[in-house]
Amino acid sequence: CLKLMGTDTALMQLNGIAQKTRHKNLRQKALEHLAATAQQRGLTTEELEDRIVPACGLDEKGKRIFDFGDRQFEFVFGEGMKPQVRDEKGKIRANLPKPGKKDDPDKANSAIAAWKTLKKQITQVSKIQAVRLEQAMITQRRWTVAEFELRIVNHPLMTHLAQSLIWTGYSDRNERILIRIAEDRTYSDIEDETLSLEKVKQVGIAHPISLEEAEKQQWSQLWLDYELFSPFPQCDRELFFPTPEEQETTVVTRFKDKTIPGIRLVSTFEKQGWIRGGVGDGGGCNEHSKAYSHANLIVCIEYTGGIAMWDVRHSSDIEITRCYFSPLETHNPGLMLTANYKKALRLKDVDAIVFSEVMRDLTLLTRERK
């Protein structure tokens, strides 16, 4: 129904299903519908997603004023992408206050109703867009400068998320410069000096694996100075690399002694795009995978115990026995993931960002919870 409706709002909802659902078949169907719609419009799926982000009631400058008559409050993004308001004295509030004696009651009540609607919309949409931008960082997606400015910098909502991230500009020679988007939508560098994109041909989100430690510290200080809150971990993101002992091996076994509830694997992993493998003779699953098409890789994990396919709440505790990376082009969806094991790559040959992100997923999964 959403595909047939075809409106930007319907496609945004379809994209939300593709991002958030835990059901493999439903996610796949939503992705197929998005891909088909993108193809009809002569776009990639990522380009289509850029075009269906709603403004959520913000003006072209990304602002929204809530007028109480005697007082005005401006929409701002707070920590954790929470919509907040700032009063005329600069004080940040989680919500609009109750109308006072000097306020116009009609204007105040209208403003409060509009604020509730905007807050709900922005909370929902910004979470989806944060996931999308984080994936763009991981896959090292690049925009042309024209598309970057149109779809990101000058978009009423996306500009707020973009201003809290470090971007990388690439020249024709693939030389890079690091970029910050200021509140007035101009650009500055790590020294907070005004920057021109004249020689920049493409723009992407900087992955911290490409940043020096001193650079990360300097950017983090800028974020503190401007009271900016990244929509996802960037400078402070945990990074992981193969140990000297792992370099020549094809299998990661560093999580082998970690026992976790099977239901946690489902609830945590499948939100991050991991897909269950085939069903065994007992009706359970003991493998998950995640594809990284930009790097032509598929990562597979195998574990003891199993996920109860009839009801994940009945899943046993699991222990991850091995994790390995294989060329995506050799993967056969009709076979169990163990078929990929014979084609596993040496860990030193795996894309550094993909390796780090997979280890980050597994570390968060297996880390003991307080």
Side-chain angles (χ1 to χ4, degrees):
C1 288
L2 290 170
K3 179 180 181 295
L4 290 173
M5 289 169 68
T7 64
D8 285 353
T9 301
L11 292 174
M12 183 193 71
Q13 295 296 329
L14 190 62
N15 185 47
I17 292 172
Q19 293 273 2
K20 295 186 293 185
T21 184
R22 300 177 183 178
H23 301 286
K24 176 181 177 181
N25 292 340
L26 183 59
R27 177 189 290 111
Q28 186 59 38
K29 183 61 67 174
L31 290 171
E32 288 173 3
H33 285 332
L34 284 170
T37 301
Q39 186 175 23
Q40 289 170 3
R41 298 187 182 187
L43 304 168
T44 65
T45 301
E46 291 80 8
E47 290 170 340
L48 175 64
E49 290 173 344
D50 283 342
R51 286 159 172 76
I52 61 176
V53 182
C56 294
L58 303 176
D59 66 21
E60 62 181 14
K61 294 183 179 180
K63 297 183 180 296
R64 179 72 179 269
I65 301 297
F66 298 94
D67 188 7
F68 274 36
D70 189 59
R71 297 180 291 169
Q72 284 77 42
F73 303 87
E74 182 182 358
F75 158 78
V76 294
F77 251 132
E79 186 174 3
M81 300 183 300
K82 292 180 180 179
Q84 297 180 329
V85 289
R86 180 169 54 208
D87 64 21
E88 293 165 313
K89 296 180 181 179
K91 181 180 178 180
I92 303 297
R93 299 170 178 265
N95 283 296
L96 289 174
K98 293 181 179 180
K101 293 180 180 180
K102 295 182 180 180
D103 295 321
D104 183 310
D106 292 334
K107 286 186 176 181
N109 289 330
S110 178
I112 290 172
W115 162 247
K116 289 179 179 179
T117 300
L118 177 137
K119 185 177 181 180
K120 184 177 181 180
Q121 289 177 340
I122 287 184
T123 298
Q124 179 187 23
V125 175
S126 61
K127 287 181 179 179
I128 293 173
Q129 297 310 312
V131 170
R132 196 166 70 87
L133 289 174
E134 187 172 25
Q135 286 304 305
M137 179 187 73
I138 293 169
T139 61
Q140 290 293 278
R141 180 190 174 191
R142 296 184 185 183
W143 289 261
T144 64
V145 172
E147 284 290 297
F148 170 64
E149 294 188 328
L150 178 63
R151 308 296 177 189
I152 305 293
V153 179
N154 294 314
H155 187 279
L157 177 62
M158 296 301 292
T159 188
H160 291 280
L161 299 174
Q163 289 168 22
S164 298
L165 293 171
I166 306 163
W167 296 80
T168 304
Y170 300 90
S171 69
D172 280 338
R173 298 179 180 179
N174 213 32
E175 296 169 332
R176 74 179 183 101
I177 57 170
L178 297 175
I179 303 165
R180 182 178 80 85
I181 305 167
E183 190 174 359
D184 62 0
R185 300 183 180 181
T186 58
Y187 307 107
S188 60
D189 60 17
I190 196 170
E191 302 294 340
D192 208 17
E193 298 291 335
T194 302
L195 195 64
S196 169
L197 300 191
E198 182 181 357
K199 296 182 179 180
V200 172
K201 299 302 179 183
Q202 293 181 313
V203 180
I205 302 172
H207 192 284
I209 210 166
S210 66
L211 303 178
E212 299 291 339
E213 194 60 37
E215 288 179 316
K216 287 190 279 189
Q217 292 177 5
Q218 198 166 350
W219 282 110
S220 296
Q221 186 58 52
L222 268 179
W223 261 228
L224 288 172
D225 293 343
Y226 284 99
E227 297 183 337
L228 296 172
F229 303 99
S230 298
F232 53 82
Q234 190 179 23
C235 271
D236 57 348
R237 198 177 191 86
E238 287 185 282
L239 301 178
F240 301 87
F241 304 91
T243 64
E245 295 76 20
E246 290 174 329
Q247 290 277 346
E248 297 294 335
T249 64
T250 58
V251 180
V252 178
T253 58
R254 62 174 77 174
F255 303 99
K256 194 170 182 180
D257 296 329
K258 305 282 188 179
T259 300
I260 59 173
I263 193 170
R264 186 198 299 175
L265 182 142
V266 172
S267 62
T268 301
F269 255 30
E270 295 185 6
K271 289 179 182 177
Q272 299 167 337
W274 288 78
I275 303 296
R276 296 176 208 177
V279 181
D281 293 338
C285 166
N286 60 2
E287 54 184 24
H288 266 71
S289 67
K290 188 174 183 178
Y292 292 88
S293 56
H294 73 287
N296 190 34
L297 289 173
I298 183 168
V299 56
C300 309
I301 62 167
E302 299 172 17
Y303 41 86
T304 61
I307 305 301
M309 299 296 278
W310 64 92
D311 189 339
V312 296
R313 293 173 297 178
H314 295 156
S315 301
S316 61
D317 287 349
I318 66 166
E319 181 183 295
I320 297 173
T321 54
R322 60 186 182 186
C323 166
Y324 50 91
F325 302 80
S326 303
L328 181 59
E329 61 192 14
T330 63
H331 174 60
N332 185 341
L335 299 177
M336 298 290 282
L337 295 176
T338 49
N340 296 322
Y341 178 60
K342 295 179 181 179
K343 304 158 188 172
L345 301 172
R346 291 180 300 178
L347 298 183
K348 72 175 184 180
D349 296 327
V350 175
D351 178 270
I353 292 177
V354 172
F355 181 86
S356 183
E357 291 297 326
V358 170
M359 294 302 103
R360 180 175 181 269
D361 283 356
L362 289 168
T363 299
L364 293 174
L365 174 70
T366 57
R367 183 170 287 161
E368 291 186 11
R369 301 188 179 183
K370 297 180 180 179

